[in-house]
Every structure is written in C-alpha cells, then in structure tokens.
Amino acid sequence: MDDSSSTSGLLADEAATLALGGALAGSLTPGMVVYLDGDLGAGKTTLTRGLLRALGHAGRVKSPTYALVESYAFDGLEVHHFDLYRFNDPQEWDDSGLAELFGAHSLCLVEWPDKAEGLLPPPDLTVALAVDGEGRRYRLTAHDDTGRQCLTRLSS
C-alpha cells in the first residue's frame, strides 16, 4: 500500500482521540462508509464523539451496542453510528433493515463490521484503534479513491 493509502500514529490520551475524530469530521464526505476497527475499549466511540462534536452535536454520544445504531442529523448530512457487536450471525444484518440508512446523504460509521461480513457496503476508509499503554495507536486505511481523497484532505 502506498503512502497515500494509509497513515498511522499514536494518540496519547482521550483528548487526542477526540481531536483525531474532530479532524476526520472535516475530511469525510457524505456517502462515505467508515469501518471502525478495534477491541472493546479501544476508543471507537470516543473517536466518534470527537467527530460528532466537530460537526456541531452538543448532546450525549453513546455507544449503540444495544440500539445497533444511533443517528445524528446535521444540515445536509445524516451520520449513522452502527455497533454490530451483538450480532451472532451476519444474516442479522439483512434482517435488521439497517441497510436503508446507507446512501449519498449519509455518513456511516460501523463498529464490528466483521459481524456482518459480506453483507455491508465496502468501506471507503477503515480507522483501526488499538490500546497502547495509556494511549492508543491508530491506522487510517483508504480502500478507494474517496478514502484516499479523505486522507489527502486530512493531511493538508
């Protein structure tokens, strides 16, 4: 993978994870699908909170573990934060009816995408987070031109 397809680094603390989410908010575009990869407690919801705050959401941001999806409406954009952790079978994705939330005017952030493997739209970007002492390591990987353009905007 060339340098334009991925970037990585260390997030020292929660504030840095929130800041990365905020920076991502300015580089993502409607229609994108972003997979959030990482173990429990890796910071996926914290990153999402930073992204949503940067877009103007002032309310609470909670993990959608039990609801499966939390949706946030902004002017001209809907952000859908999915958490598929509780799925036991990928077929549950088809049965859920959540696929209709993906579209040109939405930004979809998906935690635990492997739980619906083969049924989700492919990602434009994957954000991988891993615990590293008190901080987190991150890797952003673009999977297509849309994802690469996002990384270009993020780095400029």
Side-chain angles (χ1 to χ4, degrees), residues 14 17 26 28 31 42 58 84-85 91 111 114 119 128 130 139 142:
E14 181 178 353
T17 304
L28 299 171
L84 308 182
Y85 181 74
Q91 190 60 42
E111 296 187 30
D114 57 309
L119 299 174
R139 174 170 292 281

Side-chain angles (χ1 to χ4, degrees), residues 10 37-39 42 128-133 135-138:
L10 180 65
D37 186 31
D39 291 334
L129 296 165
V131 174
D132 186 353
R136 304 290 185 267
R137 290 218 164 268
Y138 74 90

Side-chain angles (χ1 to χ4, degrees), residues 93-146:
W93 173 256
D94 279 342
D95 296 342
S96 73
L98 296 173
E100 68 189 35
L101 297 176
F102 289 75
H105 296 291
S106 64
L107 170 62
C108 293
L109 311 170
V110 185
E111 296 187 30
W112 304 98
D114 57 309
K115 297 283 192 161
E117 193 167 9
L119 299 174
L120 288 173
D124 299 295
L125 186 73
T126 297
V127 178
L129 296 165
V131 174
D132 186 353
E134 295 297 313
R136 304 290 185 267
R137 290 218 164 268
Y138 74 90
R139 174 170 292 281
L140 308 176
T141 304
H143 300 282
D144 58 17
D145 286 340
T146 302

Side-chain angles (χ1 to χ4, degrees), residues 2-118:
D2 65 36
D3 290 340
S4 67
S5 295
S6 71
T7 187
S8 61
L10 180 65
L11 303 165
D13 53 22
E14 181 178 353
T17 304
L18 290 167
L20 177 59
L24 275 171
S27 62
L28 299 171
T29 57
M32 287 187 74
V33 175
V34 179
Y35 286 3
L36 302 175
D37 186 31
D39 291 334
L40 288 171
K44 299 178 297 291
T45 297
T46 300
L47 180 103
T48 300
R49 185 179 312 115
L51 186 151
L52 291 168
R53 285 184 180 160
L55 291 174
H57 179 73
R60 186 166 180 247
V61 175
K62 59 184 179 175
S63 176
T65 301
Y66 294 100
L68 298 179
V69 64
E70 294 288 339
S71 297
Y72 305 86
F74 301 95
D75 189 29
L77 175 68
E78 288 208 15
V79 177
H80 303 291
H81 179 202
F82 298 88
D83 185 334
L84 308 182
Y85 181 74
R86 299 180 60 78
F87 278 15
N88 293 311
D89 183 312
Q91 190 60 42
E92 290 179 69
W93 173 256
D94 279 342
D95 296 342
S96 73
L98 296 173
E100 68 189 35
L101 297 176
F102 289 75
H105 296 291
S106 64
L107 170 62
C108 293
L109 311 170
V110 185
E111 296 187 30
W112 304 98
D114 57 309
K115 297 283 192 161
E117 193 167 9

